[in-house]
Amino acid sequence: MEAIFLFGLFLILLMLSVPIGYAIGMVTLVTMLEFTSMPTLMIAQNSIAGVDSFPLLAIPFFMLAGNLMSGGGIAKRLVNFFECFIGHITGGLGMVTIVVCMFFAAISGSAVATVSAVGAFMIPQMVEHGYSKPFSAALTAAAGTIGVIIPPSVPFVIYGVVSGASITNLFTAGFLPGVLMGVALMIVCYIVSKKRGYRGSTEKASFSKIVHTFRDAIWAILSPVIILGGIYSGKFTPTEAAVVSVVYSYIVGRFVYKELDASTTYKSLKDAIVINGATTFMVGLSTAFAALLTMEQIPLKIAAFITGISNNGVVILLMVNLFLLIVGMFIDNIPATIILTPILLPICKKFGMSPITFGIMLTMNLAIGFCTPPYGINLFVATAISKVKMEALSKELILLIGALLAVLASVTYIPAVTTIFLK
């Protein structure tokens, strides 16, 4: 009864459009008063403890780095460079969009930053070269999901803090699934482009043009090499890597490309502060919510209910995926990760899934929610850039989401996809 009341009230508040941070806090408070004798001070204590974590410092720094790179001309130079190699083939401009999203994901760690930085430049470019505006926006929104899978990844940091899993191992494990997501989207892009006659953007680039664009983009290309190379080599932690990313982004944007002026820097700082404030608020109250669940043994009851349905691991993992896909349509990645990890991780571990693989699967499910109605954040960004109605954009997403689901299935049922690079 307590679990039904808890999640039922939460769903009602979401349907009433109550901001998710406030909804989490209200549900926690009301449930405590109604069903427990615990002091409400527990909410404040757990909220403070939840954000008092060194690894969480990586989040605002990665956000700031993504903002600085968006305004510093890095995305534009990456587009020019990759266009030299695949821009001339059928659907080439769409594929360039996907590849740049993958590369930008290795810099920003954020889906929203990836869609806004790449979409603002590429959606008009694709439309100019004959692509339909809804398809251009949908492709960018879908490719933006890679932003939280290819390392570094803000949700991986959250999951690592909640589950105790190694954030470095999560970054390592997310690399291949992120690449597979990009390849799957490129295949769909090629098929759709072949059918609709979307041609490449330019003639095949000459060697001299490739050299020129490479020289122009070299500082952008080096960014993920420095960030990820430093993490994997053990030179610095993911949190320290986020700080390095900010410093590097500012230097390149301000002094090398000279597109990062004072006003752009101020806007980048302001946006990062606002987003981090909302994120920290959700993280704190989500931690209190998760603490209430644990104290009342609700995860154990839910786990017992789910495992009582079937003893078949394939069926249980399929049910978990379907549940997460539905959750991702309504709830943001960060609170969902904090709330659901204690509930679902023990279930998946029981059927042989490692915490690292579960973290990738969880994040990928919720990332797909970024581009599914009604509350997909990538959809909102893409529609704002393209001025396309949500209905038209959603129709174009069906095949693209199907491609992402195929990669999700491989992550769920083929352990090597996430463990192949782990020591």
Side-chain angles (χ1 to χ4, degrees), residues 4 36 53 63 110 122 174 180 339 343 353 357 379 421-422:
I4 294 173
T36 76
S53 170
M63 289 178 177
S110 167
M122 289 305 301
L180 291 177
I339 294 169
I343 298 175
M353 180 174 283
T357 299
L379 293 185
F421 295 124
L422 296 178

Side-chain angles (χ1 to χ4, degrees), residues 35 67 69 92 107 119 171 189 200 203 205 220 236 310 314 325 376 381:
F35 291 94
N67 291 342
M69 290 171 187
I107 300 174
F171 282 6
C189 178
E203 297 295 325
F236 37 75
S310 173
V314 174
L325 287 169
V381 176

Side-chain angles (χ1 to χ4, degrees), residues 244-302:
V244 171
S245 180
V246 170
V247 175
Y248 183 86
S249 303
Y250 180 77
I251 292 174
V252 171
R254 180 71 178 85
F255 300 106
V256 179
Y257 295 147
K258 299 180 180 179
E259 293 189 17
L260 198 62
D261 55 21
S263 62
T264 306
T265 303
Y266 172 78
K267 185 178 183 302
S268 298
L269 285 165
K270 180 181 176 182
D271 290 346
I273 291 170
V274 170
I275 296 173
N276 183 63
T279 300
T280 303
F281 182 73
M282 285 192 295
V283 168
L285 289 173
S286 296
T287 303
F289 185 94
L292 174 64
L293 293 179
T294 303
M295 291 176 185
E296 294 302 299
Q297 297 186 325
I298 292 177
L300 294 177
K301 297 172 185 176
I302 295 176

Side-chain angles (χ1 to χ4, degrees), residues 129-374:
H129 285 84
Y131 290 67
S132 76
K133 189 176 286 187
F135 179 75
S136 303
L139 184 66
T140 307
T145 62
I146 305 173
V148 294
I149 304 299
I150 288 184
S153 164
V154 170
F156 285 172
V157 175
I158 296 289
Y159 174 78
V161 172
V162 174
S163 67
S166 166
I167 296 175
T168 300
N169 284 346
L170 286 166
F171 282 6
T172 303
F175 181 77
L176 181 57
V179 172
L180 291 177
M181 289 171 73
V183 171
L185 291 176
M186 290 175 74
I187 292 172
V188 172
C189 178
Y190 179 81
I191 293 172
V192 172
S193 299
K194 193 79 172 177
K195 182 178 179 180
R196 300 182 183 179
Y198 298 155
R199 299 183 178 181
S201 59
T202 60
E203 297 295 325
K204 190 172 182 178
S206 63
F207 179 75
S208 60
K209 184 177 180 181
I210 293 175
V211 171
H212 174 74
T213 56
F214 175 75
R215 286 176 178 172
D216 194 35
I218 183 63
W219 294 102
I221 295 170
L222 283 176
S223 181
V225 175
I226 294 172
I227 297 167
L228 299 180
I231 294 174
Y232 296 146
S233 65
K235 298 297 182 182
F236 37 75
T237 66
T239 303
E240 292 165 344
V243 178
V244 171
S245 180
V246 170
V247 175
Y248 183 86
S249 303
Y250 180 77
I251 292 174
V252 171
R254 180 71 178 85
F255 300 106
V256 179
Y257 295 147
K258 299 180 180 179
E259 293 189 17
L260 198 62
D261 55 21
S263 62
T264 306
T265 303
Y266 172 78
K267 185 178 183 302
S268 298
L269 285 165
K270 180 181 176 182
D271 290 346
I273 291 170
V274 170
I275 296 173
N276 183 63
T279 300
T280 303
F281 182 73
M282 285 192 295
V283 168
L285 289 173
S286 296
T287 303
F289 185 94
L292 174 64
L293 293 179
T294 303
M295 291 176 185
E296 294 302 299
Q297 297 186 325
I298 292 177
L300 294 177
K301 297 172 185 176
I302 295 176
F305 172 75
I306 293 176
T307 54
I309 296 175
S310 173
N311 289 321
N312 188 316
V314 174
V315 174
I316 293 297
L317 292 177
L318 177 61
M319 291 175 58
V320 170
N321 274 311
L322 290 174
F323 173 68
L324 288 172
L325 287 169
I326 294 171
V327 168
M329 297 172 70
F330 298 96
I331 303 178
D332 187 65
N333 190 300
I334 291 174
T337 298
I338 296 172
I339 294 169
L340 297 178
T341 295
I343 298 175
L344 300 177
L345 178 56
I347 298 174
C348 294
K349 286 174 67 176
K350 181 178 179 181
F351 291 96
M353 180 174 283
S354 73
I356 298 297
T357 299
F358 174 75
I360 308 300
M361 184 187 82
L362 170 72
T363 304
M364 190 176 292
N365 271 290
L366 298 175
I368 292 173
F370 290 162
C371 56
T372 54

Side-chain angles (χ1 to χ4, degrees), residues 66-86:
N67 291 342
L68 291 173
M69 290 171 187
S70 299
I74 287 179
K76 179 172 65 177
R77 286 166 175 82
L78 290 174
V79 168
N80 293 337
F81 176 65
F82 290 117
E83 193 172 5
C84 290
F85 296 94
I86 57 177

